[in-house]
Amino acid sequence: MIAYIVRRILYAIPILLGVNLITFALFFFVNSPDDMARIHLGVKRVTPEAIAKWKEDRGFTRPLLYNAAAQGTAKLKDTIFYQHSLRLFVFEFGRAEDNRDIGREIAERMWPSLAIALPTFLVGVLVYITFALLLAFFRGTYLDTWGVVLCVAMMSVSVLFYVIGGQYLMSKLWHLVPISGYDDTGLLAFKFLTLPVVVGVVGSIGANARLYRSFFLEEIGKDYVRTARAKGLSEPRVLFQHVLKNAMIPILTGVVVVIPSLFIGSLIFESFFGIPGLGSYTIDAIHSQDFFVVRAMVFLGSVLYIVGLILTDISYTLVDPRVRLE
Amino acid sequence: MPFQPVFLWTDVLIYVLLAAAAGFGVYAARHEHLRAPWRQIARRPLAMVALVALAAYVAAGLLDSVHFRERLANGGDQYSAEVLSLLDKLAAPLRSRVEKTYSAPFAAHAYTKETVEYPDGRRVRAYPRLVHGGAHLKDPDERGADIGKRAALATAAGGLVWLALVAAFVALRRVPGEAYAAAARRLARGADPIPWRAILVTAGVLIVLAANAGYLSLYYHILGTDQVGLDVFYKSLKSVRTGLVIGTLTTLVMLPFAVLFGVMAGYFRGWVDDVIQYVYTTLSSIPSVLLIAAAILSLQVYMANHPEVFDNVAARADVRLLFLCVILGVTSWTSLCRLLRGETLKLREADYVQAAQALGASHLAVMARHVLPNIMHIVLITVVLDFSGLVLAEAVLSYVGVGVDPTTESWGNMINGARLEMAREPMVWWSLTAAFGFMFVLVLAANLFSDAVRDAFDPRLRR
C-alpha cells in the first residue's frame, strides 16, 4: 500500500511537468513577453523602454528554454522556464501584477473557499443520496417517473439561473439572508454562507439524484437483494441495509476525487456571492489578464486533482474489500 | 451580384457537419443493425417531441449560418462591411427597430423617465412613448385589446397552416382505398407505432407560437428591449446559432483525436498506449475552466497584438468562437478517449479480430473494419450526451469572461449583460428570462433526446 502510494506520487511528477509545459507554451510561445508587456501597459502608445523595463522587472529578459550564453548548468537554469515555471513545483508562485505574493494570497484565500465548498459538498451528498433513495424506493410508480422528469428539468436549467433566482427569492423578496458578502465570525458567517450553500446544493440535485438513482437501481437488480427479500426482510431494510451499503462504493469513489479541489472553490459562486476565496481571485486575475495568477491556479488545480485521484484509489480499498492495491 | 457570400469558419464547419450527418443517415438507413435503434427512438413520444423542438432550433441556427454582405446602394461594386445572415434578413423589422433604452415586453412606454416636450411648449418628466413598440396605437391603453386581436389573428393563421399540414399528412399516410376520415381517426387515436400524433401536436404548438411571435413583433417588442434598445427577442434568436455551434462543433473538433488516439492506445498497447495515456491524463488533470481561461487569455493577447489578421469584426468574433470550440474540445476529448481505449482493449481480444489478424489483415484494416464500427455507439452516445452540457457551459464561461467574444450574440452574454439589471427598481427581468427560457427549452429537449439515444444504443441497457 505505502509502496503503491509512493509510486503514484512519483507518477504525478511527469504529469505536473506536462501541465507546466502546457501553460508555459500558452503564455510564452503563443505570445512573447513583449506582447504581454504591451497588453499590460496599454496596447497603443507604449514605448520600447517601458516594455524593456516591464520585462526587466519580471526577469523576462532571459531566453525561454535554453541559455546558450551561460555556463554549465546555468545554460538550463538561467531561463524563463526554469526560473518561472519549475519554481511552481516547490509552490513558489512568484508575484502577481499588483506585486503581491501569490503564495500568501492563496494561503489566505483558500479558507473562505473551503468555508463555502465544504458545507455545499457535505450537505449536497446527503441530500442527493436521500432523494435518490426515495426515487429508488418508489421505483416504477408515478412518483419515480415524475421525480426523474423533474430531475431532467432541473438539470436543464443553467447554474446561473439558480444563483440569480436564489438571490432574488431569498434575499430580495423574503429578506432572509444578505445577497452577498463574507464574514468568518460565528452567526454572521452562517448568515452569509446559507444562500450559496443552498443554491449550490439545489443547483446540482437534478444531475446527481438521477445518477445515484441509477446506482441504486443497478444494485437492486442483483442476486443478493433477491436473497434478502426471499429471507423475508422488509423493503426499507433491504434498501437501507443492503442496497445503500453497496451503492456507496460508486458514490464514494466518484465523490472522493473532488475533495481536494474544494480548496480552489467555485468561480461562479464566489464571484456572485462576493466570497473572497480562490475562485474570485481567479476571476479577478482573468479580468485583469494576470497570467501569473492564472498559471499558479492551473498548477494548484492539477495538483489537487491528482491528489484526489490517489485518494480515490485508496478509498476503493477501504470501502471495497475485494480491491487490493498492488 | 446584389450580395457577396461570406463563409465564416464556423459556417464551413457547420456545412461539413451537415454533410457528415446526412452521410451517416444514408449509411444507417441501409444497415438494419443501425436502423433498429433509430426505430426504437422514433417510437418514444417524448424523444420525438424533443426532436421537433430541436429541429426548430436547428432551423433558426442554419438560417443564421448563411452569411453575406450586401451591395451598397450607391457605390458600384462596393459591399457593405456589415456581415448579415439569412436570419437577419428575415428578421429585418426586428433588427432595425431600435429603441433608446430598456422597455418592458409589449410596452408602449420607455422604462425610464425623460423630459418630454409637449406641442404647446410644456415640459414634463414622464415616460416617453416608444419609437416603434406599440407606435401604431393612438391610445396606449388599448394595448390589451389590440394584442388580443392580433394574437387571435395570428393563432388563426397558424392554426390554418397547421391544419393544412395535418391534412397533407393524412393524405400521404392513407392506405389506398381507405376513407380520409378513417385515416384521420387512426391518427387521432394515436395508434401508429411512431407517435405521429404527438409530433404533429408539437409542430402545431410551435407553428402557432411562431406565427404569434412573428406577427406581434411587427408591432411590439414582445420580449422587451435591452439597455441599448435592441429587441430582446431578436437577440435570443441570434443566440441560438452560438449555442448550437458550441454544442456541436466542439464535439466535431474533438472527435477525430479522441477516436484515433483511443483506438490506437487500445489496439497497439505498449509505448503507444503509455504516451497517449500520459497526454490525456495530463490534459484532464487541469481543471477545465482554468485551462479554457488560460487559453482564451492567450488568444486575447494574440488578437490585441495582431489586429491585421482579422479583416472585420464578424470574422474576429467567429475565430474566437471557433477557438472556444477547439479549447472546449481539448478539455472534453479525454473522457471519450479513455472510454474508447477501454472498449478497444476488450475488442482486440475478440475472436473475429484475432481471426482477421491471423488471416493477415493489416492493422489499419482491422481497426477500420472490425474495431471502429463496434465502438461507434459509444461515440454517438457521448456526442449526444455532451451537447447539453456544452450549451450550459457557454453561459458560464461567458459570464466568467472567457467565453465567446463580447460582440457575439449569445445567451451567456445576455445573462452577463443583465447582471446588474436585477438590482434596478423596477426590476429589468426580461433579458434574463428570455435567455434562460430559450436555453432551458434547448437543453431540456437535448437531454430528453439524448436519453432516448443512450437507451437505444447502449447494449448494456438493451432489453
Side-chain angles (χ1 to χ4, degrees):
Chain A
M1 179 96 161
I2 305 253
Y4 175 83
I5 294 171
V6 169
R7 209 165 62 229
R8 282 297 299 265
I9 292 172
L10 289 180
Y11 277 150
I13 292 174
I15 290 175
L16 289 175
L17 203 61
V19 170
N20 246 331
L21 272 174
I22 290 173
T23 48
F24 185 76
L26 272 177
F27 289 157
F28 288 97
F29 279 121
V30 178
N31 304 293
S32 64
D34 288 32
D35 289 340
M36 278 198 280
R38 232 168 280 144
I39 286 293
H40 279 289
L41 302 169
V43 179
K44 296 191 179 117
R45 274 183 310 212
V46 49
T47 56
E49 293 80 44
I51 292 182
K53 182 170 183 311
W54 190 88
K55 280 165 66 181
E56 188 67 48
D57 287 348
R58 286 156 186 78
F60 286 166
T61 43
R62 298 188 181 92
L64 288 176
L65 284 173
Y66 184 74
N67 192 347
Q71 294 298 314
T73 52
K75 271 187 196 296
L76 289 175
K77 271 187 173 169
D78 200 20
T79 58
I80 295 181
F81 183 66
Y82 187 86
Q83 293 293 333
H84 281 268
S85 280
L86 288 186
R87 286 246 176 115
L88 294 176
F89 271 98
V90 288
F91 295 102
E92 265 185 43
F93 296 113
R95 286 182 179 280
E97 277 308 317
D98 56 7
N99 212 18
R100 280 201 260 183
D101 186 45
I102 299 179
R104 189 184 298 160
E105 286 282 299
I106 289 177
E108 261 173 33
R109 280 167 171 266
M110 69 188 203
W111 301 112
S113 282
L114 200 63
I116 125 165
L118 193 66
T120 312
F121 169 79
L122 292 176
V123 176
V125 171
L126 267 179
V127 170
Y128 309 145
I129 290 179
T130 315
F131 267 77
L133 263 179
L134 268 177
L135 291 179
F137 185 75
F138 290 103
R139 65 190 173 280
T141 65
Y142 275 107
L143 200 72
D144 178 36
T145 318
W146 285 106
V148 174
V149 169
L150 185 71
C151 282
V152 177
M154 288 183 78
M155 275 166 72
S156 308
V157 178
S158 169
V159 59
L160 299 175
F161 178 81
Y162 288 110
V163 176
I164 295 174
Q167 283 186 332
Y168 177 70
L169 273 187
M170 287 182 60
S171 303
K172 239 187 132 181
L173 219 53
W174 299 337
H175 298 290
L176 291 179
V177 285
I179 281 193
S180 66
Y182 180 75
D183 198 300
D184 51 7
T185 46
L187 192 66
L188 215 52
F190 181 75
K191 257 179 134 176
F192 277 120
L193 291 180
T194 312
L195 184 58
V197 170
V198 168
V199 170
V201 170
V202 170
S204 38
I205 279 186
N208 286 313
R210 205 169 78 123
L211 179 69
Y212 292 178
R213 171 184 168 272
S214 70
F215 290 154
F216 288 130
L217 290 190
E218 195 166 314
E219 288 298 322
I220 281 177
K222 288 194 175 157
D223 284 342
Y224 72 88
V225 177
R226 198 179 307 149
T227 314
R229 288 217 191 90
K231 283 194 304 190
L233 292 189
S234 67
E235 187 64 23
R237 275 194 74 171
V238 172
L239 213 53
F240 286 105
Q241 284 203 339
H242 294 257
V243 174
L244 179 60
K245 244 189 206 165
N246 284 291
M248 283 311 279
I249 296 174
I251 292 177
L252 260 186
T253 48
V255 147
V256 168
V257 71
V258 302
I259 291 179
S261 307
L262 294 178
F263 280 103
I264 38 177
S266 150
L267 268 65
I268 300 292
F269 280 76
E270 291 187 11
S271 90
F272 261 110
F273 293 109
I275 311 250
L278 286 179
S280 51
Y281 188 47
T282 315
I283 288 225
D284 292 345
I286 290 171
H287 287 164
S288 62
Q289 308 198 319
D290 193 326
F291 293 88
F292 306 105
V293 175
V294 173
R295 196 186 55 187
M297 293 307 295
V298 168
F299 185 78
L300 192 66
S302 310
V303 171
L304 292 176
Y305 178 77
I306 292 170
V307 172
L309 285 182
I310 298 176
L311 285 183
T312 306
D313 281 352
I314 297 172
S315 74
Y316 261 124
T317 61
L318 295 181
V319 296
D320 190 347
R322 288 169 298 186
V323 178
R324 291 268 174 277
L325 296 181
E326 292 301 326
Chain B
M1 267 205 299
F3 61 86
Q4 179 190 41
V6 176
F7 295 101
L8 298 176
W9 274 104
T10 48
D11 290 345
V12 175
L13 285 172
I14 287 172
Y15 302 152
V16 170
L17 185 68
L18 268 186
F24 176 74
V26 171
Y27 180 81
R30 288 196 185 150
H31 293 78
E32 175 53 30
H33 70 280
L34 288 175
R35 229 174 24 208
W38 284 111
R39 209 179 300 132
Q40 189 189 332
I41 296 169
R43 288 186 180 163
R44 288 181 51 162
L46 212 51
M48 294 321 279
V49 168
L51 188 63
V52 174
L54 282 178
Y57 274 90
V58 171
L62 286 181
L63 280 177
D64 205 8
S65 300
V66 183
H67 286 99
F68 53 85
R69 289 178 5 191
E70 288 189 311
R71 186 198 284 272
L72 288 178
N74 51 353
D77 51 353
Q78 294 258 308
Y79 292 97
S80 153
E82 195 182 15
V83 178
L84 293 178
S85 73
L86 277 185
L87 186 79
D88 292 328
K89 252 345 226 182
L90 278 178
L94 281 178
R95 198 165 61 89
S96 56
R97 299 179 336 139
V98 178
E99 305 291 347
K100 221 181 225 167
T101 179
Y102 293 118
S103 69
F106 289 108
H109 289 109
Y111 164 84
T112 42
K113 273 190 177 168
E114 267 176 42
T115 309
V116 182
E117 198 173 19
Y118 282 92
D120 55 9
R122 277 185 306 137
R123 285 169 169 241
V124 180
R125 289 284 291 174
Y127 297 104
R129 283 289 294 268
L130 293 178
V131 188
H132 302 286
H136 61 293
L137 295 172
K138 275 216 180 65
D139 176 13
D141 292 338
E142 307 164 357
R143 230 164 61 236
D146 183 63
I147 294 168
K149 206 175 68 195
R150 289 182 195 281
L153 205 66
T155 308
L160 278 181
V161 172
W162 180 64
L163 279 181
L165 185 80
V166 173
F169 180 80
V170 167
L172 275 176
R173 293 268 302 165
R174 192 172 61 105
V175 187
E178 190 187 20
Y180 281 98
R185 263 202 303 279
R186 195 152 53 86
L187 176 69
R189 263 206 319 276
D192 305 275
I194 294 177
W196 288 115
R197 188 177 56 171
I199 295 173
L200 284 172
V201 169
T202 318
V205 171
L206 284 175
I207 290 172
V208 168
L209 273 181
N212 270 307
Y215 186 54
L216 284 173
S217 58
L218 292 178
Y219 300 92
Y220 297 96
H221 298 289
I222 56 170
L223 294 177
T225 53
D226 70 353
Q227 189 171 15
V228 290
L230 279 175
D231 192 284
V232 171
F233 180 54
Y234 171 70
K235 285 180 72 175
S236 316
L237 275 184
K238 289 286 284 178
S239 306
V240 169
R241 176 178 186 269
T242 312
L244 290 178
V245 164
I246 299 263
T248 54
L249 289 194
T250 299
T251 41
L252 182 76
V253 170
M254 77 170 193
L255 263 189
F257 298 101
V259 173
L260 185 72
F261 289 145
V263 172
M264 274 172 56
Y267 186 83
F268 289 118
R269 296 199 290 196
W271 68 268
V272 179
D273 192 14
D274 289 341
V275 170
I276 292 173
Q277 275 202 65
Y278 170 71
V279 170
Y280 73 59
T281 317
T282 305
L283 276 177
S284 68
S285 74
I286 306 177
S288 53
V289 184
L290 292 174
L291 181 60
I292 294 165
I296 292 283
L297 272 186
S298 290
L299 182 78
Q300 272 176 347
V301 174
Y302 182 82
M303 280 181 157
N305 281 311
H306 303 84
E308 70 283 355
V309 182
F310 311 99
D311 49 355
N312 58 37
V313 182
R316 190 190 145 114
D318 188 66
V319 167
R320 173 144 174 191
L321 179 61
L322 184 64
F323 188 76
L324 184 65
C325 289
V326 171
I327 194 70
L328 271 170
V330 168
T331 56
S332 62
W333 69 279
T334 51
S335 58
L336 176 63
C337 191
R338 183 176 300 153
L339 279 178
L340 292 181
R341 172 180 168 272
E343 192 68 16
T344 311
L345 274 177
K346 259 189 273 169
L347 282 176
R348 78 188 294 279
E349 304 300 331
D351 288 341
Y352 58 86
V353 173
Q354 307 258 316
Q357 283 167 340
L359 287 171
S362 70
H363 289 313
L364 197 65
V366 174
M367 280 193 277
R369 194 111 192 95
H370 299 289
V371 177
L372 201 56
N374 287 305
I375 55 169
M376 281 322 266
H377 67 279
I378 299 181
V379 174
L380 185 74
I381 292 171
T382 312
V383 168
V384 181
L385 280 182
D386 277 356
F387 175 85
S388 50
L390 288 168
V391 175
L392 291 177
E394 184 273 324
V396 170
L397 291 176
S398 295
Y399 173 80
V400 175
V402 293
V404 296
D405 195 76
T407 61
T408 309
E409 296 290 357
S410 85
W411 294 312
N413 276 343
M414 281 172 78
I415 295 169
N416 193 12
R419 222 190 297 187
L420 298 175
E421 293 173 2
M422 293 295 283
R424 298 182 73 127
E425 203 58 52
M427 204 168 58
V428 179
W429 48 268
W430 43 89
S431 283
L432 276 177
T433 315
F436 283 132
F438 269 80
M439 206 155 71
F440 174 69
V441 174
L442 176 63
V443 174
L444 182 64
N447 274 335
L448 292 175
F449 187 68
S450 65
D451 275 357
V453 169
R454 193 193 47 199
D455 289 353
F457 278 91
D458 195 337
R460 281 174 307 162
L461 297 172
R462 218 174 268 167
R463 268 161 272 152

